[in-house]
Amino acid sequence: MTSPPRADDAHPYLRAATAGIRHHTRALERAVPPQPVGRPHLDVLHAHLTALHRLLDQITETARPPHPAAGRQLATAHARLWQAATAVHDAFHLLPATGTPGASECHPERLPEGPPVLTICQRQLAAGHTIRRKTTPTDLNTPLHGHTTTCVR
């Protein structure tokens, strides 16, 4: 019989991802002169957000049956994470493209021109399909600041 992992050994890949984000944030703070945000930066950030969105979706599904209240809170976090990914996707398309004119626009009726537009739009569509199967339009349009929680100690 194996014992459960110690708290400091649990989920090493998530711990590494968190450390990577902290390192990146510190590097941005130290950059002199500050580097402007570009489309590749937002593309990578969007990839991280949508991967986290998929993970939270799986965790929410396993938490709901035994712990309905925790499952509802995680479902709310899932919706808010999708809103954050949507905002990053929208910001990506507002930045100027380095290629052809009009390449910065998102055209859901046709495939985008190529990477990184193709990949960010595909990720956004996939995340949108997932969230729309499990969330109402009203929940998705609720402002981020409209949600409050009570901390139970």
Side-chain angles (χ1 to χ4, degrees):
M1 181 181 253
T2 61
S3 60
R6 295 188 345 233
D8 57 346
D9 292 339
H11 313 290
Y13 297 115
L14 284 176
R15 293 170 56 80
T18 302
I21 289 173
R22 281 194 304 259
H23 175 74
H24 185 71
T25 301
R26 284 191 300 268
L28 286 175
E29 289 169 351
R30 290 189 300 257
V32 177
Q35 298 296 313
V37 172
R39 293 180 112 202
H41 198 175
L42 292 184
D43 181 47
V44 172
L45 182 59
H46 187 268
H48 184 78
L49 287 171
T50 54
L52 190 55
H53 183 258
R54 284 192 307 272
L55 176 62
L56 193 55
D57 182 47
Q58 292 174 355
I59 290 171
T60 301
E61 290 303 312
T62 60
R64 271 187 198 198
H67 306 288
R72 281 190 301 274
Q73 291 297 317
L74 291 172
T76 299
H78 183 247
R80 299 307 175 247
L81 193 55
W82 179 80
Q83 288 176 329
T86 298
V88 170
H89 174 256
D90 293 346
F92 174 91
H93 285 293
L94 291 173
L95 291 177
T98 57
T100 59
S104 65
E105 299 168 6
C106 189
H107 297 282
E109 72 279 2
R110 63 179 170 84
L111 285 177
E113 300 303 319
V117 178
L118 177 64
T119 54
I120 193 169
C121 292
Q122 285 178 333
R123 282 193 308 268
Q124 187 62 25
L125 286 172
H129 288 300
T130 300
I131 196 75
R132 284 184 179 91
R133 280 195 322 257
K134 300 176 180 192
T135 311
T136 67
T138 303
D139 289 338
L140 292 179
N141 293 321
T142 303
L144 291 174
H145 56 76
H147 180 73
T148 58
T149 59
T150 303
C151 185
V152 179
R153 295 178 190 227

